[in-house]
Amino acid sequence: MVRRQYGGLLVLILAIACLLWGCGRPEIAKQRLALALDNDIKTLNPVLISDAYSSSVVGLMFSSMVTQNGKTGEIEPELAEKWEFGENGREIIFTLRSGLQWSDGQPLTAADVLFTFQDVIYNPKIPTSSRDVIRVGKQRTLPEISQLDQRRIRFRLSEPFAPFLRSVGGTTILPKHILQKTIDTLDPQGNPQFLTTWAINTPFNQIVGSGPYLISEYRPAERIVLSRNPYYYKKPQPYIPRFIYQIVSSPDAALLRFRAGDLDVFGLRAEDFQLLKPLEQRDRYRIFNGGPDTSQSFMMFNLNLGRDQKGKPFVDPVKATWFQNVQFRQAIAYGINRQAMIDSFYRGLGKPQNSPIPQLSPYYLAEGLPEYKYDQNRAKQLFRQAGFKYNATNRLIDAQGNPVRFSLITGTSGRGVFLGAQIKTDLDQLGITVDFTPIEFGTLIDRLDNSKQWDAALLGFTGGVEPHGSINLWAVDGDNHMFNKGGSAGEPDYPGRVVAPWEQKINDLMIAGAQEIDEAKRRQIYGEFQLLVRQQLPLIHLVTPLYLVAIRDRLQGTEPSAIGRAIWNLDQLKILD
C-alpha cells in the first residue's frame, strides 16, 4: 500500500512538472535543447566573470581566436584561421577569417582584438583573471600587441612563453564599436563605465557577440533562453535553433526535471547513476562516462595576515597562528576521510585528488606526491608536534588553552554541502569543532574577494590540461589567489599581508613552467610545483569525481568528455523530432 501511494505521488509530481515545463509539448521540444544551471548568472560581461554559471551562458555568445578540441585538448582555429610563430617563439601573428561579423552585422576585425587587449584586458582599472594568465616571466610583463592590417594582429613577448597560444588565443574578443565608450567614460570615482556594462538587467539587444547564440529571454532564478546568431561565422548555422538553461539550484529538482523530460542533458551525481542507469533504454537516454573530471574540490584556510581599512585583521590572530602552521594543515589533511567521501557521496565513482593538476593533464605527477590517507593517529601526532594538546574532555586546544574551533563556509548547492558535512564529522572525532555554514554563492564570493573575513572555505575549481590556466590562483598577485588574496588591480596591498617563501616559490615555479619550451623540462618543473603544493597544503584537495552525464537519445552527435563536457562539439549536434 505504501509503495503504491508513493508511486502515485511521484506520477502526480511528474505530471505537474510536465504542465509547468512543457513536457509532452512537441512544438516546444522540437525547438530547443534544455540543460540545467545550478545557480543564476551574475553578469553577461565576459571579462568580469568569476563564476562557472555565467561562463556557461556567455560562452555560447562570444568567440575567441582559437578554441580547444573537447576530446583531445588540442588547439583548433576559431575566429583566427591560422597563426604563425616567429623570433624563436617570441612572436605570434594571428590571421582572422575573412568576412567575420558581430551579431549586429558590423565587421569583426583585428581592431576589435587590439581593443580587447589594450583597452580592456591590459587596463589596470578593470579586475580580470584574463590578465593574469597572459603575463610573461618573473616580471609578469604583458605582451606587446600591434595591428598589422584588418585581419592580422601581432603579439611580441619579452621571453618564450609556452602556453601563449592557448591563453592569449583563448581570450574572448569584444566589440570595439560597442564598448569603446564604456572604457572612455568614467564614473565619479574614476572607474570606467565598463565595470557596470552588460549586467544581467541589460536589454538583450544591447549585447553584441560573435558566438553561435544570443540571449533572447532571461527570467531571473528561472530560465535563460538563447537563440541562434544569424551572423555567426560558421556556415551552415548550428542545427539546434534554441538553447534553454533551466536555473535549478537543487540537484534533486534537476533530477526530477530530467526524468520528466524537461532536460535533455543532465550531469549526474553518483546517487543519480544508480537510479538512472537501469532505466536508460526505457526512458530513451544514455549515460556517458567521460573519465576523471577536470574539476577539483578542496578545503582551504584563510592565510591572509592582512587588515582591512579600519585595522581589523581578516583572521582572528589566535586562529591565524593555527592556520599558518603547516603541521596543523597537514594534520587536518590526515584527519579528513576522503575514501569515505568516495564511498558514500560518490558511491565509489571517484578518486582521491592528490594534485593541484587534473589527472587528464600530461603534466600530472602520478607518483611521489604525499597522499594524506586518512590516519587519525598521524593527525594527532602532528597536532602535538605543532604545540597542541587534548584537554580532559578530549577536545583539541592550543598551547594557550584556546579550544580549536573555526568556521567553514561553502555554497548552498552542489557537492560542497555534503563534503563539508563529512569534514565536520571527521574533525569532530579529532576534538575540533567546525561551524559549517553553507551560504549563497554570491555571498560566498563576496566574503572571499572583498571582506576577506572567513576562516576556512570549501570550494571547487575547474582546470584544464594546461597548468598555466590556473596561474591566477597560484600567482601571489593573482585575482583568484583566494587563500592569501592581495589588493585589487591598481590598489596597494593590504597592511600586514605577508607572502610566505614557499608561496613565492610556487609562484616562481608556475612562471618557470610557462617560460620553458622543452616539454620534458616543463613536466619536471610542474612536478616540483605539485610536490611543494602538497607539502605546504594551501589547498587540501579532496576528491576527483568521474564525469558522468545522461543525454537523451533525441540529441545526436554528442561526444562527451571530461575536458569538453557534453556539448563541446555544438556544431555537430542535431535533435531528432
Side-chain angles (χ1 to χ4, degrees):
M1 177 66 71
V2 173
R3 290 182 180 176
R4 288 181 180 178
Q5 289 176 345
Y6 179 80
L9 177 61
L10 180 60
V11 170
L12 177 60
I13 293 174
L14 294 178
I16 294 173
C18 288
L19 289 173
L20 291 176
W21 303 318
C23 176
R25 293 169 60 187
E27 72 279 7
I28 293 179
K30 291 179 182 180
Q31 296 174 357
R32 59 94 172 119
L33 173 66
L35 301 87
L37 204 61
D38 294 343
N39 271 290
D40 210 340
I41 57 176
K42 309 301 179 185
T43 181
L44 294 171
N45 189 320
V47 174
L48 304 181
I49 288 175
S50 61
D51 65 288
Y53 315 109
S54 300
S55 181
S56 296
V57 175
V58 174
L60 293 172
M61 301 167 60
F62 293 88
S63 302
S64 305
M65 288 187 288
V66 303
T67 188
Q68 174 181 261
N69 184 289
K71 195 169 186 178
T72 66
E74 295 180 355
I75 299 173
E76 297 179 344
E78 193 170 21
L79 294 178
E81 65 180 14
K82 66 177 181 178
W83 49 88
E84 303 166 279
F85 288 94
E87 298 185 2
N88 296 319
R90 298 189 183 189
E91 177 184 274
I92 184 171
I93 297 175
F94 291 93
T95 301
L96 300 180
R97 298 177 188 273
S98 176
L100 292 173
Q101 292 176 283
W102 291 103
S103 58
D104 61 357
Q106 292 298 309
L108 191 165
T109 71
D112 295 298
V113 181
L114 183 67
F115 164 78
T116 297
F117 286 93
Q118 280 195 342
D119 293 56
V120 182
I121 304 300
Y122 291 7
N123 192 329
K125 293 186 177 181
I126 297 176
T128 174
S129 59
S130 299
R131 185 163 51 246
D132 293 326
V133 299
I134 61 175
R135 291 187 182 275
V136 179
K138 290 185 178 180
Q139 302 303 316
R140 307 282 285 141
T141 58
L142 292 167
E144 295 180 8
I145 179 173
S146 57
Q147 180 181 348
L148 301 182
D149 53 38
Q150 285 293 90
R151 294 176 55 200
R152 293 188 301 156
I153 196 85
R154 178 175 61 199
F155 292 84
R156 282 182 171 163
L157 290 67
S158 58
E159 57 189 75
F161 184 56
F164 179 75
L165 176 60
R166 189 181 296 273
S167 57
V168 171
T171 300
T172 300
I173 304 304
L174 303 173
K176 178 180 179 179
H177 69 288
I178 297 293
L179 297 177
Q180 180 71 70
K181 59 177 180 270
T182 71
I183 297 295
D184 298 336
T185 304
L186 304 181
D187 65 17
Q189 288 73 43
N191 296 314
Q193 191 184 68
F194 181 87
L195 297 180
T196 56
T197 298
W198 287 354
I200 57 177
N201 59 350
T202 302
F204 307 135
N205 60 359
Q206 295 182 15
I207 301 176
V208 175
S210 59
Y213 292 87
L214 302 170
I215 189 167
S216 57
E217 179 185 348
Y218 172 49
R219 298 182 182 179
E222 184 179 341
R223 71 176 184 176
I224 302 166
V225 180
L226 298 104
S227 302
R228 279 188 298 216
N229 171 14
Y231 294 98
Y232 183 50
Y233 76 92
K234 285 191 177 181
K235 299 294 184 290
Q237 290 280 304
Y239 296 104
I240 301 172
R242 289 200 307 162
F243 263 79
I244 297 180
Y245 275 105
Q246 302 283 5
I247 301 171
V248 191
S249 59
S250 164
D252 292 329
L255 172 63
L256 180 61
R257 288 195 175 193
F258 179 75
R259 297 194 67 184
D262 187 49
L263 298 175
D264 298 298
V265 178
F266 176 62
L268 275 65
R269 302 167 296 176
E271 62 266 35
D272 301 329
F273 178 83
Q274 295 179 326
L275 174 66
L276 296 179
K277 183 63 177 177
L279 305 176
E280 280 182 301
Q281 185 173 359
R282 190 198 74 178
D283 291 345
R284 298 181 181 179
Y285 59 80
R286 181 181 173 189
I287 295 177
F288 294 84
N289 180 354
D293 207 344
T294 58
S295 66
Q296 307 171 22
S297 55
F298 56 83
M299 173 185 172
M300 63 179 176
F301 289 104
N302 191 348
L303 304 183
N304 199 328
L305 296 176
R307 303 182 299 275
D308 64 18
Q309 294 179 349
K310 296 181 180 180
K312 180 181 179 180
F314 294 134
V315 184
D316 182 315
V318 172
K319 296 178 182 179
T321 302
W322 308 339
F323 302 161
Q324 293 290 325
N325 192 316
V326 66
Q327 289 181 314
F328 176 87
R329 299 196 297 271
Q330 291 172 343
I332 294 293
Y334 276 115
I336 297 175
N337 193 339
R338 295 187 294 163
Q339 189 59 50
M341 292 177 175
I342 295 172
D343 294 340
S344 58
F345 178 65
Y346 291 102
R347 305 296 198 272
L349 301 173
K351 296 182 179 180
Q353 176 67 25
N354 296 319
S355 169
I357 293 180
Q359 297 179 29
L360 287 174
S361 172
Y363 306 100
Y364 173 74
L365 190 61
E367 298 179 353
L369 295 176
E371 296 186 17
Y372 298 100
K373 293 183 178 180
Y374 182 56
D375 188 337
Q376 285 193 338
N377 291 329
R378 178 60 176 150
K380 292 178 179 179
Q381 180 185 30
L382 284 168
F383 281 135
R384 292 189 177 99
Q385 291 176 3
F388 296 83
K389 56 186 177 181
Y390 285 89
N391 63 15
T393 59
N394 207 31
R395 304 304 291 178
L396 190 67
I397 58 176
D398 64 16
Q400 286 70 45
N402 299 301
V404 178
R405 180 173 187 168
F406 58 83
S407 63
L408 175 65
I409 56 175
T410 192
T412 53
S413 63
R415 57 193 172 190
V417 175
F418 302 94
L419 301 184
Q422 174 77 50
I423 291 173
K424 176 180 174 66
T425 299
D426 290 341
L427 297 187
D428 184 69
Q429 294 174 4
L430 287 174
I432 299 172
T433 300
V434 177
D435 299 311
F436 176 53
T437 308
I439 58 179
E440 192 272 329
F441 185 75
T443 304
L444 174 66
I445 296 301
D446 182 67
R447 293 272 291 276
L448 297 176
D449 285 350
N450 299 321
S451 76
K452 300 177 182 63
Q453 303 285 343
W454 56 280
D455 294 339
L458 182 60
L459 291 177
F461 188 86
T462 301
V465 297
E466 170 54 59
H468 193 73
S470 62
I471 184 64
N472 57 343
L473 170 62
W474 297 111
V476 296
D477 60 348
D479 190 57
N480 284 337
H481 194 67
M482 298 172 289
F483 58 87
N484 187 18
K485 188 172 174 61
S488 300
E491 296 180 358
D493 213 343
Y494 297 103
R497 179 178 181 250
V498 177
V499 175
W502 60 263
E503 189 179 354
Q504 184 64 52
K505 178 64 174 178
I506 288 174
N507 177 98
D508 295 344
L509 286 170
M510 288 295 286
I511 292 172
Q515 291 173 319
E516 182 56 61
I517 302 298
D518 184 276
E519 281 299 307
K521 293 180 179 178
R522 286 197 84 200
R523 284 191 288 270
Q524 182 179 357
I525 292 170
Y526 287 124
E528 187 178 351
F529 155 74
Q530 292 169 80
L531 181 61
L532 186 54
V533 170
R534 292 297 288 171
Q535 289 171 339
Q536 293 295 330
L537 292 180
L539 307 183
I540 300 174
H541 287 90
L542 301 173
V543 175
T544 295
L546 298 178
Y547 175 61
L548 303 171
V549 61
I551 300 177
R552 297 209 172 275
D553 293 347
R554 65 189 291 267
L555 181 60
Q556 297 289 299
T558 56
E559 298 182 53
S561 75
I563 297 176
R565 321 306 282 182
I567 58 170
W568 67 269
N569 57 333
L570 180 63
D571 302 322
Q572 302 168 19
L573 303 183
K574 296 182 180 181
I575 292 180
L576 298 181
D577 296 337

